[in-house]
């Protein structure tokens, strides 16, 4: 069998690019740009421009810390809906170009081009990658980098070498030589704790670890983890590029600018979060069985409660109702100022796969036909008149009271 | 304990009881059958702690006593024995079977280790016709839920009234309800939620022509005849108000030839999605169109002549639910009623002659998305 031809298309500083495209006069003119959080609070950096990264600014770093490193930087909020739209555009272009495309995240797409040698008239994988890169840029204004190789993990690592706005392909047979140039810390899935554990044994570079026998890794790290590392340093990875890989969860969380003490304030935030994830759920044509609420207290203790309903639900009312019960449970266990609140949905099923109506629906899920109709009607209004076209009274009250839509910081919306 | 028994009687008794033995258990004694020989009879009992079965078979008892012994093994041996009397005896915790030149010994466990079966006073209970009971079980128990999220729906609701009784089962998507008239009695009304496993034993072990005794003791229900007893733990809780969800205002009525509908639905089911089994029925004057469209697979269309004079209506169903319900309809024609695409539909047999049957199945539709 000929070697597989895998590409990873990764958008360069995606949130920064989109922020600049969305706001060419502001963000577009700031070379030192931080997306996410605000200068005053404790939000986190979602993405930073390459110029800002030169100062040591990294994603997931508290924005305040990033600003200590790079005080001249401009901070803008995440242009969330624009990011989703641009990501979709990039995906559309790639699906026209390649037979198998899997969106791995909002800004990463795996492409499997195995078997396209003749289709592309013998074009080298590097040339194909460059052609795709230019086509995406031309049609979506989004600059991407493309890594290629015979396996997903190789393509992923090659992408880092390609950045920004470049192409890097590891030829078949060159995998081990390529990996040997890397540090163990560079490998996906090798986190700080593992790096430290390996460093104590004198292993820093991939090269250092290649001579270590499987049994040693297993003795140090346990059977499965040891076997995994033994394979990973050799670049072994059988995982497929699967365009149908099902979405596993939808979640949204907020870090507050100030710790929130009152139950009522938290419940309003919860209402916003649950409406946001519920809207995403329906936009994706999905329904959900498990709702999870995450609460991080002021002392960084994080607590999570979840609940699974007998039938999948989709309405704002039912999802909020489930989340509210969970939040109240969490608060009754420990009522201290809260730093972060999140709502997650998992156990997702396609709405078209479901659709079985129930006899005793109300008893089972708390979701009525009326709830579903209301949610779909609200979705329709929002798609015509914008996301704020229809808001629950409690949220309207809050927005009026505070006049500061950016007071939530470090929000992440993971789709 | 020592008795002589015909191979047939031993085999019948073991077959009746061993079906109640759990296939996997952490309590070794539950894999055993309890033998009790007394007064010219041998009682055999088996239990999985939820449901228990006890049968009585005639034997020539030479020495009374009791012991438990491995049920499945005894059943397998008995099946293979020649058709001649079997002598069964015990020595300590061992049971010995002899028949002609064949001789087997199995290690047993003392009778005291066997859980005691529920004590039920049959003379203080109800009397029900075996045939009626069999009919109710047959026509309803298929509809119980197998999901663990709502345990109450894992049982069949049995309503006993003076002069009638009913069984109802549902999984929340489709429901079956059957009622029969019974001879007036002065027994009090009662509602039980019975696990279907127990009802299966009742179906299997009691003959239709018998009259059964039924009695309750706390959380257990007993079914008894002269030679067979079945005991079951009852499911506790309040059964959902099923009567409330049975539509009274379904104004669209179709009379459908059962066999034709069944075959058409079975054909549609081949093309339906593996997940939803969604098929689409469009009723128009004297005709029903069946359609199925499954992305990535294909589509199908069929139509059959029916009696229908209502407004045109299109409704989606899980083909399996529809087939299941049709399977239990004994008549040549069925009456199907609707109100709207997202409201419950009912299916009932169409009475032939003067015989009217109180049987109703209800199916909730699948939403049609387009």
């Amino acid at each position: 069998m000929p070697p597989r031809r895998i590409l990873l298309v990764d958008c360069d500083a995606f949130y920064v690019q989109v922020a600049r495209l969305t706001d060419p006069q502001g963000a577009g003119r700031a070379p030192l740009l931080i997306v996410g959080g605000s200068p005053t609070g404790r939000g986190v950096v979602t993405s930073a421009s390459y110029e800002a990264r030169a100062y040591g600014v990294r994603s997931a770093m508290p924005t305040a810390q990033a600003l200590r490193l790079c005080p001249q930087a401009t901070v803008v909020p995440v242009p969330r809906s624009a990011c989703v739209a641009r990501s979709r555009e990039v995906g559309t272009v790639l699906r026209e170009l390649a037979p198998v495309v899997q969106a791995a995240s909002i800004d990463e797409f795996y492409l499997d081009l195995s078997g396209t040698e003749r289709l592309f008239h013998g074009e080298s994988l590097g040339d194909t990658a460059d052609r795709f890169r230019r086509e995406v840029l031309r049609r979506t204004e989004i600059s991407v980098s493309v890594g290629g190789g015979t396996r997903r993990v190789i393509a992923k690592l090659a992408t880092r070498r390609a950045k920004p706005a470049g192409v890097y392909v590891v030829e078949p047979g060159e995998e081990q030589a390529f990996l040997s140039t890397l540090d163990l810390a560079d490998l996906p899935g090798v986190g700080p704790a593992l790096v430290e554990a390996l460093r104590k044994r004198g292993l820093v570079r991939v090269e250092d670890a290649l001579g270590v026998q499987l049994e040693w890794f297993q003795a140090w790290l346990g059977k499965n983890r040891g076997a995994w590392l033994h394979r990973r340093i050799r670049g072994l990875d059988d995982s497929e590029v699967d365009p149908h890989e099902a979405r596993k969860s939808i979640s949204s969380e907020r870090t507050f600018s100030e710790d929130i003490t009152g139950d009522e304030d938290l419940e309003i935030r919860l209402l916003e979060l649950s409406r946001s994830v519920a809207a995403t759920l329906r936009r994706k044509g999905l329904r959900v069985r498990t709702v999870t609420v995450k609460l991080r207290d002021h002392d960084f203790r994080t607590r999570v409660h979840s609940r699974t309903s007998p039938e999948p639900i989709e309405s704002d009312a039912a999802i909020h109702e489930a989340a509210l019960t969970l939040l109240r449970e969490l608060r009754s266990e420990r009522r201290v100022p809260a730093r972060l609140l999140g709502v997650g949905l998992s156990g997702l099923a396609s709405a078209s796969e479901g659709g079985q109506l129930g006899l005793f629906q109300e008893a089972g899920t708390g979701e009525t036909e009326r709830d579903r109709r209301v949610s779909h009607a609200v979705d329709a209004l929002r798609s015509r008149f914008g996301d704020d076209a229809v808001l629950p009274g409690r949220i309207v009250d809050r927005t009026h009271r505070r006049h500061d839509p950016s007071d939530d910081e470090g929000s992440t919306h993971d789709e | 304990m020592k008795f002589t028994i015909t191979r047939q009687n031993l085999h019948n008794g073991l077959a009746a009881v061993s079906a109640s033995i759990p296939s996997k258990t952490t309590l070794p004694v539950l894999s055993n059958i309890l033998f009790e020989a007394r007064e010219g009879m041998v009682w055999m009992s088996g239990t999985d702690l939820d449901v228990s079965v006890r049968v009585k078979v005639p034997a020539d008892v030479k020495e009374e006593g009791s012991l438990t012994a491995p049920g499945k093994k005894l059943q397998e041996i008995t099946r293979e024995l020649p058709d001649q009397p079997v002598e069964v005896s015990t020595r300590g915790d061992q049971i010995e079977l002899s028949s002609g030149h064949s001789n087997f010994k199995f290690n047993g466990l003392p009778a005291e280790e066997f859980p005691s079966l529920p004590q039920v006073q049959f003379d203080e209970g109800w009397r029900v016709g075996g045939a009626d009971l069999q009919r109710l079980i047959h026509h309803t128990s298929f509809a119980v839920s197998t999901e663990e999220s709502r345990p109450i729906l894992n049982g069949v609701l049995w309503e006993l009234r003076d002069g009638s009784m009913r069984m109802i089962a549902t999984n929340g998507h489709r429901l079956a309800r059957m009622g029969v008239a019974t001879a007036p009695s002065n027994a009090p009304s009662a509602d039980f939620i019975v696990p279907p496993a127990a009802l299966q034993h009742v179906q299997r072990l009691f003959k239709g022509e018998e009259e059964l005794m039924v009695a309750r003791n706390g959380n257990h229900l007993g079914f008894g005849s002269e030679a067979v007893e079945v005991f079951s733990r009852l499911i506790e809780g309040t059964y959902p108000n099923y009567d409330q969800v049975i539509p009274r205002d379904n104004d669209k009525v179709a009379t459908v030839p059962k066999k034709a509908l069944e075959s058409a639905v079975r054909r549609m089911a081949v093309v339906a999605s593996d997940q939803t089994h969604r098929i689409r029925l469009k009723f128009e004057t004297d005709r029903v169109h069946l359609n199925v469209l499954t992305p990535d697979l294909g589509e199908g269309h069929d139509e059959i002549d029916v009696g229908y004079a209502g407004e045109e209506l299109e409704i989606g169903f899980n083909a399996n639910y529809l087939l299941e319900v049709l399977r239990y309809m004994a008549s040549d024609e069925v009456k199907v009623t609707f109100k709207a695409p997202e409201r419950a539909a009912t299916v009932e047999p169409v009475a032939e002659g003067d015989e009217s049957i109180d049987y109703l199945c209800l199916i909730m539709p699948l939403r049609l998305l387009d």
Side-chain angles (χ1 to χ4, degrees), chain A residues 310-311 351-360 369 372, chain B residues 150 170 172-173 245 276 278 342 362 364-367 369:
Chain A
E311 307 282 340
S352 62
E353 278 171 26
Q356 172 65 57
L357 300 161
L359 282 166
F360 313 107
E369 192 52 39
R372 283 189 287 271
Chain B
R150 271 182 277 179
T170 180
H173 298 152
V245 300
T276 62
R278 185 198 313 275
E342 301 203 348
L362 186 157
M364 284 304 282
L366 273 167
R367 212 174 289 135
L369 309 142

Side-chain angles (χ1 to χ4, degrees), chain A residues 272-284:
Chain A
E272 294 170 346
L273 288 166
S274 38
R275 278 166 38 85
S276 151
V277 289
T280 306
L281 179 83
R282 291 190 300 273
R283 198 169 56 237
K284 304 282 176 193

Side-chain angles (χ1 to χ4, degrees), chain A residues 28-315:
Chain A
R29 292 188 174 178
L32 295 171
L33 182 65
I34 290 172
V35 180
S38 82
T40 51
R42 301 161 304 171
V44 293
V45 176
T46 302
S47 183
S49 65
Y50 287 100
E51 293 87 339
R53 290 183 197 189
Y55 287 80
V57 177
R58 296 284 174 268
S59 327
M61 177 182 274
T63 308
Q65 186 192 340
L67 281 168
R68 280 196 294 277
L69 294 168
C70 181
Q72 319 90 298
T74 304
V75 178
V76 297
V78 180
R80 193 169 299 133
S81 54
C83 288
V84 172
R86 293 277 176 173
S87 169
R88 208 172 294 154
E89 286 175 30
V90 172
T92 305
V93 172
L94 292 173
R95 276 179 199 97
E96 284 176 26
L97 296 170
V100 182
V101 179
Q102 177 189 342
S105 70
I106 195 164
D107 58 354
E108 285 179 312
F109 300 83
Y110 280 99
L111 276 48
D112 191 344
L113 300 175
S114 306
T116 57
E117 293 85 350
R118 296 180 62 179
L119 181 68
F120 294 155
H121 306 291
E123 184 182 49
S124 76
L125 190 58
D127 287 348
T128 306
D130 195 49
R131 183 161 59 85
F132 287 7
R133 195 187 67 73
R134 279 183 282 112
E135 186 69 7
V136 169
L137 182 62
R138 187 178 71 78
R139 288 176 53 187
T140 67
E141 298 180 88
I142 294 293
S143 159
V144 298
S145 299
V146 188
T150 52
R151 302 184 188 104
R152 281 177 61 137
V153 64
I154 300 287
K156 169 116 186 155
L157 288 165
T159 308
R160 293 198 196 147
R161 194 71 53 98
K163 274 182 176 295
V167 167
Y168 190 93
V169 170
V170 178
E171 298 298 334
E174 297 297 314
E175 293 87 355
Q176 197 60 71
F178 168 68
L179 287 168
S180 298
T181 64
L182 302 174
D183 284 346
L184 289 164
D186 294 331
L187 299 176
V190 178
L194 183 53
V195 167
E196 184 53 26
L198 294 167
R199 196 192 57 79
K200 280 190 189 147
R201 298 183 167 93
L203 307 177
V204 175
R205 300 183 58 75
V206 171
E207 225 178 340
D208 306 332
L210 283 170
V212 179
Q213 287 171 356
L214 172 64
E215 291 71 25
W216 284 105
F217 281 136
Q218 292 186 322
W220 297 338
L221 308 171
K223 195 158 178 275
N224 292 336
R225 189 96 174 116
W228 173 83
L229 186 65
H230 191 258
R231 286 173 61 77
R232 176 116 301 191
I233 58 175
R234 286 164 180 76
L236 298 178
D237 173 13
D238 301 328
S239 59
E240 298 286 333
V241 176
D242 180 2
H244 302 298
E245 192 172 85
R247 170 181 303 281
K248 293 187 178 75
S249 66
I250 293 171
S251 66
S252 185
E253 55 186 53
R254 293 282 155 94
T255 307
F256 308 122
S257 54
E258 294 163 27
D259 293 340
I260 293 187
T261 310
D263 283 351
E264 198 192 336
D265 272 357
L266 269 175
E267 288 178 9
I268 292 171
R269 302 309 182 100
L270 185 85
L271 178 60
E272 294 170 346
L273 288 166
S274 38
R275 278 166 38 85
S276 151
V277 289
T280 306
L281 179 83
R282 291 190 300 273
R283 198 169 56 237
K284 304 282 176 193
L286 297 170
R287 311 180 83 207
V288 63
R289 282 190 69 177
T290 304
V291 177
T292 303
V293 170
K294 171 167 151 188
L295 190 61
R296 181 169 298 148
D297 296 332
H298 68 100
D299 54 359
F300 282 86
R301 200 162 124 194
T302 305
R303 299 177 293 135
V304 168
H305 272 203
S306 65
R307 142 186 298 211
T308 299
S309 75
E311 307 282 340
I313 53 175
E314 63 179 31
S315 66

Side-chain angles (χ1 to χ4, degrees), chain B residues 129-335:
Chain B
D132 288 341
L133 194 57
Q134 303 278 16
R135 261 163 65 80
L136 295 189
I137 296 170
H138 174 74
H139 286 90
T140 58
S141 61
F142 74 91
V144 294
S145 166
T146 49
E147 278 226 1
E148 285 167 17
S149 58
R150 271 182 277 179
I152 200 88
L153 299 186
N154 297 146
V156 176
L157 174 65
W158 184 18
E159 297 177 339
L160 273 162
R161 302 286 179 270
D162 193 5
S164 71
M165 62 179 179
R166 257 182 183 177
M167 277 193 188
I168 294 95
T170 180
N171 70 347
H173 298 152
R174 45 99 169 94
L175 175 149
R177 183 200 72 189
M178 187 176 232
V180 291
T182 55
S185 70
N186 289 318
S189 294
D191 286 1
F192 306 117
I193 304 169
V194 192
L199 297 176
Q200 271 168 25
H201 287 304
V202 169
Q203 252 186 318
R204 191 173 57 87
L205 295 172
F206 296 102
K207 294 181 192 71
E209 61 275 18
E210 287 178 298
E211 187 172 63
L212 303 191
M213 299 170 292
V214 175
R216 177 186 197 156
N217 182 2
N219 194 27
H220 285 89
L221 191 67
F223 299 81
S225 70
E226 205 275 311
V228 181
E229 291 168 356
V230 173
F231 306 97
S232 173
R233 184 183 56 80
L234 289 168
I235 296 175
E236 283 173 279
T238 312
Y239 203 80
N241 186 347
Y242 71 89
D243 200 50
Q244 209 168 48
V245 300
I246 293 177
R248 305 275 187 274
D249 57 348
N250 276 6
D251 49 0
K252 304 180 179 63
V253 181
T255 310
V256 185
K258 188 199 108 159
K259 283 240 163 59
L261 181 62
E262 216 175 358
S263 338
V265 172
R266 207 173 283 135
R267 287 191 289 271
M268 290 296 116
V270 175
V271 192
S273 143
D274 288 344
Q275 261 102 46
T276 62
H277 310 283
R278 185 198 313 275
I279 65 166
R280 183 182 283 259
L281 271 65
K282 193 166 116 195
F283 285 85
E284 54 184 47
T285 307
D286 289 343
R287 185 157 282 258
V288 61
H289 297 261
L290 294 95
N291 280 299
V292 60
L293 194 155
T294 307
D296 303 332
L297 178 63
E299 53 186 281
H301 174 87
D302 214 326
E303 45 189 88
I304 51 179
D305 293 333
V306 300
Y308 183 68
E311 272 171 54
E312 194 175 295
L313 176 126
E314 195 163 22
I315 188 165
F317 287 113
N318 176 328
N320 288 349
Y321 286 159
L322 207 51
L323 284 174
E324 220 171 30
V325 161
L326 290 172
R327 189 179 314 141
Y328 293 95
M329 297 283 153
S331 58
D332 292 341
E333 288 190 313
V334 292
K335 183 172 96 176

